[in-house]
């Protein structure tokens, strides 16, 4: 992976964590664990865990519903020129660990 993509992943990771923290309702703890960016840089998936686990479905629906607001948050809080298509998903690998 290129250094540029790694840097973009880091920026999206930090912004994703801040966004979920600011916009969550506090009923569950959402922790961004990793970000994956495609090689062409057009799509990014932000993986997170949820505690307690019984609220995972609700948290994932919330995150997916807020994708367009997150794009605006990225525009306002970063200098990224081309913002990738963003998606959120539960990090099942971290959950199983």
């Amino acid at each position: 992976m290129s250094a540029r993509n790694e840097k973009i992943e880091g920026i999206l990771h930090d912004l994703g964590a801040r966004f979920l923290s600011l916009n969550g309702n506090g009923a569950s703890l959402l922790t961004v664990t990793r970000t994956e960016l495609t090689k062409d840089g057009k799509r990014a998936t932000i993986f997170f865990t949820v505690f307690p686990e019984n609220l995972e479905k609700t948290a994932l629906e919330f995150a997916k519903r807020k994708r367009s607001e997150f794009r605006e948050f990225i525009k306002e809080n970063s200098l990224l020129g081309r913002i990738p298509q963003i998606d959120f998903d539960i990090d099942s690998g971290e959950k199983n660990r």
Side-chain angles (χ1 to χ4, degrees):
M1 178 174 288
S2 72
R4 182 179 190 285
N5 280 2
E6 286 182 24
K7 188 172 184 178
I8 292 172
E9 282 182 349
I11 291 169
L12 293 175
H13 183 278
D14 292 341
L15 290 174
R18 280 197 330 196
F19 180 79
L20 292 175
S21 168
L22 292 171
N23 292 295
N25 64 2
S28 60
L29 176 64
L30 305 178
T31 306
V32 174
T33 54
R34 63 190 167 102
T35 302
E36 286 184 1
L37 186 67
T38 58
K39 287 184 180 185
D40 61 5
K42 292 184 179 181
R43 296 180 187 274
T45 303
I46 298 174
F47 293 92
F48 63 96
T49 57
V50 181
F51 182 81
E53 288 183 18
N54 63 335
L55 296 176
E56 278 184 351
K57 183 180 178 198
T58 306
L60 184 60
E61 289 171 354
F62 159 76
K64 287 188 179 280
R65 196 172 52 244
K66 296 286 188 174
R67 284 182 289 203
S68 61
E69 288 180 37
F70 181 53
R71 279 184 69 82
E72 292 301 317
F73 185 79
I74 293 170
K75 287 178 188 175
E76 294 169 3
N77 293 286
S78 75
L79 298 176
L80 292 178
R82 184 177 64 190
I83 299 172
Q85 179 83 21
I86 303 290
D87 197 15
F88 289 95
D89 204 358
I90 300 293
D91 191 353
S92 56
E94 189 66 30
K95 183 175 136 182
N96 292 332
R97 204 174 291 173

